[in-house]
């Protein structure tokens, strides 16, 4: 992207307004301590967009900080990858484990529900449709590729840092961009990257954005645009 669009994209989000919303959210969350770490969600309302006619966009972007540290990942791996996953305390399955599912739709649905995302060794990734059918794909969780040249912990951090925007039939989208234990600056950076990336996917950029809100899991929405 050119710097010209960047500055025009950036200028629409008032930095102070975003920071203020973050402070309000953090104060609210601190005053009612929950038993779990609340996520911070970005909620987007679109306008002048017809999901029936206009192209339904889809795109992923890596945020500066991991928004969901407790995101669960399963490695569908060859022997070496499964061993490495085991050492790192990461869920893993071998070809034999996948064969045992016997293409049973209920079991594959259960597997897709159990984890937020999947990684597969290059030796396995081509076999996934044959072993599991379309189940993971339908759940929007087709595995990412992991090779032996990559460090597994880096690959997992990258996956945990990546968020996806996908327009379906409704004109509202939401995704986790952080959590309440982040610093104001970390969350601010994540929100900025997420919003600017989303705007770059839209046909008319900012003209398609109706509202932007941020909210914690249990808190109320704070409008930032």
């Amino acid at each position: 992207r050119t710097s010209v669009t960047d500055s025009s994209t950036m200028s629409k989000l008032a930095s102070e307004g975003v920071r203020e919303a973050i402070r309000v959210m953090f104060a609210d969350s601190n005053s009612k301590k929950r038993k779990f770490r609340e996520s911070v969600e970005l909620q987007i309302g679109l306008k002048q967009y017809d999901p029936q006619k206009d192209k339904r966009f889809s795109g992923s972007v890596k945020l500066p900080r991991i928004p969901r540290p407790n995101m669960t990942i399963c490695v569908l791996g060859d022997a070496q990858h499964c061993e490495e996953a085991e050492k790192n305390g990461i869920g893993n399955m071998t070809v034999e484990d996948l064969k045992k599912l016997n293409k049973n739709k209920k079991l594959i649905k259960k597997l897709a529900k159990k984890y937020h995302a999947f990684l597969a060794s290059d030796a396995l990734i081509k076999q996934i449709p044959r072993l599991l059918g379309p189940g993971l794909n339908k759940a929007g969780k087709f595995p990412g590729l992991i090779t032996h040249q990559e460090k597994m912990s880096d690959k997992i951090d990258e996956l945990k840092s990546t968020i996806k925007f996908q327009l379906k039939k409704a004109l509202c989208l939401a995704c986790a961009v952080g959590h309440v234990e982040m610093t104001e600056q970390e969350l601010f950076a994540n929100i900025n990257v997420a919003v600017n990336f989303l705007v770059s996917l839209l046909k008319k950029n900012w003209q398609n954005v109706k509202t932007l809100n941020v909210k914690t899991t249990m808190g109320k929405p704070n409008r930032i645009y």
Side-chain angles (χ1 to χ4, degrees), residues 60-180:
S60 301
V61 64
K62 183 173 181 275
L63 299 181
R65 297 276 167 182
I66 293 175
R68 292 191 297 177
N70 33 2
M71 182 178 172
T72 53
I73 289 163
C74 180
V75 175
L76 312 176
D78 54 27
Q80 194 182 330
H81 274 148
C82 283
E83 199 180 308
E84 201 181 331
E86 202 64 51
K87 274 184 197 155
N88 288 304
I90 296 154
N92 58 86
M93 293 177 87
T94 61
V95 171
E96 293 313 311
D97 295 330
L98 296 178
K99 280 181 183 163
K100 279 180 201 152
L101 296 175
N102 208 9
K103 275 198 176 175
N104 179 318
K105 281 183 183 163
K106 269 189 182 158
L107 292 176
I108 291 162
K109 210 172 181 178
K110 200 173 164 187
L111 172 68
K113 266 204 172 129
K114 189 177 173 186
Y115 296 98
H116 290 113
F118 295 85
L119 285 172
S121 308
D122 33 8
L124 250 81
I125 203 154
K126 294 184 187 75
Q127 300 178 47
I128 304 279
R130 200 179 77 230
L131 290 166
L132 298 178
L136 289 185
N137 215 2
K138 270 187 186 159
K141 293 181 183 177
F142 193 79
L145 174 68
I146 180 166
T147 65
H148 290 290
Q149 285 74 48
E150 298 168 291
K151 204 170 149 200
M152 189 176 280
S153 55
D154 291 349
K155 189 74 186 175
I156 285 191
D157 280 352
E158 184 188 322
L159 195 55
K160 285 184 176 181
S161 304
T162 304
I163 57 165
K164 185 177 182 183
F165 290 111
Q166 189 170 11
L167 182 71
K168 296 199 171 145
K169 286 177 186 155
L171 282 182
C172 45
L173 302 158
C175 70
V177 287
H179 54 83
V180 293

Side-chain angles (χ1 to χ4, degrees), residues 179-198:
H179 54 83
V180 293
E181 286 168 23
M182 283 179 158
T183 65
E184 183 188 312
Q185 187 49 42
E186 286 170 345
L187 187 54
F188 177 75
N190 272 11
I191 291 170
N192 250 335
V193 171
V195 168
N196 290 328
F197 177 73
L198 169 78

Side-chain angles (χ1 to χ4, degrees), residues 5-14 18 44-48 191-192 194-212 224-225:
T5 55
D6 259 357
S7 59
S8 63
T9 321
M10 290 289 289
S11 60
K12 295 272 184 174
L13 258 198
V18 177
I44 302 111
L46 301 176
K47 62 180 181 184
Q48 294 171 24
I191 291 170
N192 250 335
V195 168
N196 290 328
F197 177 73
L198 169 78
V199 169
S200 75
L201 293 176
L202 301 173
K203 198 170 69 173
K204 292 181 180 168
N205 302 103
W206 279 99
Q207 289 171 8
N208 291 129
V209 181
K210 188 179 180 184
T211 56
L212 294 172
I224 55 173
Y225 179 76

